Amino acid sequence: MRTSTSRRRAAAASAAAFALAAVGLVAASPVQAATSSVSGAQALVGSQPTWATPQADRGTAASSTAVTADVYLASSNAQGLAAYAQAVSDPKSPQYHQYLTPAQQNARFGATPAQVSAVRAWLTSSGLKVTASTEQYLAISGTAAAVHAAFDTTLDNFSVSGHTYFAPKSSAVVPAAVSSYVLGSPA
């Protein structure tokens, strides 16, 4: 019984982390323009899993529910990064196969220290704790109540294939002040 509960909790934490990460590894563009009810805020399109349907909804998760997630950072130069990726992939380009090292990529296209600082300040002011930081994301932990404060969405319990997971009931929302610093998924 304990193992089953632990697995369910781990699966739920993974589901929430995936949802709140806003599919950041797939998308290389800043938050898409789906405006929320919060003035100037931007919804992270795709941050609500497709399986989180009204039919599967089993009610709001407790506000004290522990949550961990990764918040992915947008490139400081998304257009330049896309152009570079195209150039190194085009056999006709002089940059073909001229790859950057991870350090060069981060220096040229990564989030700036000011961007990281702004995202960190927003998250911590909402009651979330930044537990790790890389060039690509900030790992966070907190409660469902803090997630609601930060992302203007509730976490609900959803029954999927006989298991219960929690996930955002609606798209996560990012304040306008940091929306260009956080990755969102394409519409």
Side-chain angles (χ1 to χ4, degrees):
M1 181 71 177
R2 185 177 184 118
T3 303
S4 177
T5 301
S6 296
R7 285 185 187 152
R8 260 184 279 163
R9 285 184 182 154
S14 296
F18 177 75
L20 290 177
V23 199
L25 289 176
V26 177
S29 62
V31 175
Q32 300 298 306
T35 307
S36 100
S37 60
V38 178
S39 179
Q42 299 293 310
L44 294 174
V45 178
S47 59
Q48 180 190 22
T50 57
W51 49 260
T53 64
Q55 297 79 14
D57 197 333
R58 299 298 177 257
T60 304
S63 62
S64 61
T65 300
V67 178
T68 60
D70 296 331
V71 177
Y72 285 85
L73 303 167
S75 169
S76 60
N77 180 1
Q79 290 179 337
L81 179 58
Y84 173 76
Q86 178 63 37
V88 298
S89 303
D90 181 358
K92 297 175 185 166
S93 169
Q95 290 181 300
Y96 183 60
H97 283 182
Q98 301 298 312
Y99 304 113
L100 298 175
T101 66
Q104 290 170 321
Q105 185 277 330
N106 288 330
R108 197 162 156 190
F109 303 113
T112 67
Q115 290 171 320
V116 175
S117 179
V119 173
R120 180 185 294 270
W122 156 60
L123 294 167
T124 57
S125 72
S126 299
L128 294 166
K129 180 180 177 184
V130 176
T131 58
S133 178
T134 73
E135 290 85 3
Q136 289 80 34
Y137 67 89
L138 299 177
I140 59 170
S141 66
T143 63
V147 168
H148 176 69
F151 294 96
D152 192 29
T153 188
T154 59
L155 295 180
D156 277 15
N157 293 303
F158 295 90
S159 180
V160 180
S161 301
H163 300 283
T164 301
Y165 306 100
F166 61 85
K169 183 175 182 167
S170 59
S171 292
V173 175
V174 179
V178 295
S179 65
S180 66
Y181 306 156
V182 176
L183 284 181
S185 62

